[in-house]
Amino acid sequence: MMKDCLQFLIEPAKKLKIRLKESRKRVKLDKKEPLVESQLFIMELARELNRICQRSNVLAHIWTSEDIWPPSLCRDFIVDWAAVLEKKVPAKIIPSDYQYEKPEKRDWKGHLLCMLEAGGEYDMGPHKRIIMDWTREIKSRPQPTIWPGEPVLMMLDDLEFQWKRGRLPNLLPAMELVILAVLNADNPIKEDVTKQWLVKKQRSQRIDAVRYIPHGVWNWICEATEDVTLDSDSSNPDLLLSSDEKRMRCGLERRDVPRCQQRFDGWWCAVGQESYTSGRHYWEVEVGERDWRLGVAKASAVRQGFRALNTDTGYLTLRLERGMDLKALTVPATPLPQSLLPRKVGVYLDFEQGQLSFYDVEKRSHIYTYNEKFTEELFPLFGTVEVVKDLVIRPADVRQPCLCPGPCLWT
């Protein structure tokens, strides 16, 4: 009798084990299929966008498979743009059978098998359908093609040129720009989508969002250049400031200075004499190789003592420690890849957009962006503990040479 009971338990367990092994095999084989399909989908989308947007020939590199991307990038691209276009197209995402079925309707074995068979990949079909419906709707119009405008065409040429030189890892930014140009054609109030492209990229991806910032967009950032100087009344007594208040480093002896509320007496920092409550502002800083801190301090931020200078205390900054530990001082801190380590940092504040961005000036690439609604006065912040190399605020009229070989192609 006992043997029969045990057999009753053993047989289903064996069957379940066999089914689990089969499911795992199917997952390993099927994992590649949706990724390949997503790649092909993007290639076909590039072909459609080229037909819609006049002279967007750069996308030919995508549909002829000259340009390839990691599978995860394909998924992210499709999902992100489906979310944007869903507001433009009256389409509904149809839930897949396994994704939204309530677990309580299955026994635990069936639910486990369901998750294994899904292989960790959610259904991309509904997201692709939104994008396809959008392109179909445009092609059905009496005038399906649009003229993107000269700034967009110049930016597309720039992206293609840098991609061919190996500075741009892929041409998906060109596709994003074309999509924005097509969407802009439907807006009653036209915008410069080259700038809109940068704002969107930095809002959706805070870290390393743009490997190369095209010439026209970089010029637009640099148009906001400010002549920033250090405020000696705010500098830590251990810091030595140059006579023009553009350089600072740590001294070997503490200076005898008046004590005041706006002075840093703990951390080795100083703020700029300038402060901002609106508009766009940009400044560049040559930093040390071992230790520095850059960003902005809110007017309400406390400067005394060694309280952590992070987003909780009113500071939006990047920090380098020990020559390799680069991080954004969020709460908790956000570590940044060592590959992003810059020697010249561009700091760009767009008060109305609520963005504070950091760039590698020499590479013209994005490092990190804070996205926040600014409601109070902001001061440029500088910090260092280096005693040999100065931290230097670059003059407003000095520009890094263009990355174009020979004469610049876009001046």
Side-chain angles (χ1 to χ4, degrees):
M1 185 70 178
M2 180 65 71
K3 185 178 179 181
D4 292 339
C5 290
L6 290 172
Q7 192 68 21
F8 174 77
L9 294 171
I10 290 168
E11 285 303 317
K14 282 182 178 178
K15 290 179 182 178
L16 176 62
K17 190 174 181 181
I18 292 169
R19 289 183 67 195
L20 288 172
K21 284 183 177 178
E22 290 174 353
S23 294
R24 289 193 186 100
K25 286 180 182 178
R26 282 201 301 273
V27 166
K28 287 180 180 178
L29 294 173
D30 295 345
K31 261 185 180 180
K32 294 182 179 179
E33 187 177 346
L35 305 183
V36 172
E37 287 177 0
S38 295
Q39 174 95 23
L40 293 172
F41 177 82
I42 291 176
M43 291 166 65
E44 285 303 311
L45 176 61
R47 190 193 299 271
E48 292 299 323
L49 289 172
N50 184 67
R51 291 170 181 161
I52 294 168
C53 188
Q54 297 176 37
R55 289 180 56 192
S56 54
N57 299 328
V58 59
L59 301 186
H61 296 294
I62 294 177
W63 82 65
T64 55
S65 70
E66 293 176 50
D67 184 20
I68 57 174
W69 333 274
S72 60
L73 200 59
C74 294
R75 290 197 303 271
D76 291 345
F77 179 90
I78 292 170
V79 172
D80 289 348
W81 281 102
V84 173
L85 297 173
E86 188 175 15
K87 301 172 184 177
K88 309 288 181 181
V89 181
K92 294 181 180 178
I93 291 184
I94 303 170
S96 60
D97 293 335
Y98 68 82
Q99 190 175 357
Y100 294 107
E101 187 167 355
K102 293 182 180 179
E104 56 263 29
K105 289 186 178 179
R106 299 177 180 270
D107 61 353
W108 68 269
K109 297 174 188 176
H111 185 52
L112 178 61
L113 285 170
C114 173
M115 288 190 296
L116 284 168
E117 287 163 2
E121 292 285 342
Y122 51 83
D123 183 11
M124 297 295 291
H127 304 286
K128 293 175 183 176
R129 194 174 302 117
I130 290 171
I131 297 173
M132 287 189 296
D133 288 345
W134 174 68
T135 57
R136 243 185 243 116
E137 188 271 328
I138 294 169
K139 284 161 58 179
S140 66
R141 298 174 186 175
Q143 293 183 336
T145 60
I146 66 131
W147 168 250
E150 201 63 34
V152 172
L153 292 177
M154 289 183 67
M155 184 165 160
L156 289 172
D157 288 343
D158 195 355
L159 291 170
E160 180 181 15
F161 178 72
Q162 298 300 336
W163 174 73
K164 286 179 177 178
R165 293 185 66 208
R167 288 190 48 81
L168 193 68
N170 58 68
L171 284 171
L172 289 182
M175 284 190 69
E176 293 171 328
L177 182 63
V178 170
I179 293 174
L180 286 172
V182 175
L183 290 173
N184 191 52
D186 294 335
N187 292 338
I189 301 174
K190 305 304 179 188
E191 300 181 30
D192 186 342
V193 296
T194 59
K195 283 72 173 180
Q196 186 186 352
W197 169 83
L198 181 69
V199 171
K200 181 187 180 301
K201 290 285 287 181
Q202 293 175 162
R203 201 174 300 286
S204 62
Q205 187 179 339
R206 294 189 169 201
I207 304 172
D208 194 19
V210 184
R211 294 286 180 88
Y212 168 75
I213 299 175
H215 194 80
V217 181
W218 187 253
N219 275 349
W220 175 70
I221 292 172
C222 292
E223 285 171 6
T225 301
E226 297 282 344
D227 191 14
V228 177
T229 52
L230 295 165
D231 180 6
S232 57
D233 290 336
S234 71
S235 66
N236 186 290
D238 290 328
L239 290 174
L240 296 178
L241 274 60
S242 62
S243 57
D244 63 357
E245 297 180 322
K246 292 286 189 180
R247 296 169 173 266
M248 72 179 200
R249 59 184 166 86
C250 269
L252 299 178
E253 295 182 4
R254 195 172 183 86
R255 293 179 296 129
D256 185 16
V257 294
R259 293 179 62 86
C260 54
Q261 189 176 1
Q262 68 263 31
R263 187 180 300 282
F264 290 90
D265 60 7
W267 297 109
W268 296 271
C269 293
V271 296
Q273 294 181 20
E274 300 72 21
S275 62
Y276 310 114
T277 55
S278 63
R280 300 189 306 116
H281 311 276
Y282 176 74
W283 57 97
E284 293 181 354
V285 186
E286 295 179 20
V287 292
E289 298 179 1
R290 300 292 303 167
D291 187 287
W292 50 263
R293 187 194 306 267
L294 291 176
V296 298
K298 295 179 180 178
S300 60
V302 177
R303 301 179 185 180
Q304 285 74 43
F306 284 97
R307 183 182 300 185
L309 305 186
N310 55 33
T311 49
D312 276 358
T313 57
Y315 293 88
L316 282 66
T317 61
L318 288 193
R319 176 87 163 96
L320 177 68
E321 294 182 274
R322 298 179 297 278
M324 61 180 64
D325 186 10
L326 182 66
K327 54 193 173 185
L329 293 182
T330 52
V331 180
T334 302
L336 302 177
Q338 196 170 350
S339 60
L340 297 181
L341 270 178
R343 290 292 168 258
K344 295 176 184 175
V345 181
V347 185
Y348 174 61
L349 170 65
D350 190 329
F351 204 97
E352 280 70 31
Q353 289 290 345
Q355 290 192 342
L356 177 73
S357 300
F358 300 85
Y359 306 105
D360 185 324
V361 175
E362 294 175 319
K363 296 178 182 177
R364 285 195 189 174
S365 60
H366 176 254
I367 300 172
Y368 186 83
T369 291
Y370 284 95
N371 287 283
E372 182 178 315
K373 185 177 180 181
F374 300 130
T375 57
E376 58 181 297
E377 193 175 11
L378 301 175
F379 294 81
L381 178 79
F382 309 88
T384 183
V385 298
E386 298 201 30
V387 297
V388 177
K389 186 175 177 61
D390 288 347
L391 183 146
V392 183
I393 303 173
R394 287 163 61 84
D397 56 351
V398 173
R399 289 284 301 275
Q400 188 72 17
C402 179
L403 297 172
C404 299
C408 180
L409 302 177
W410 288 279
T411 52

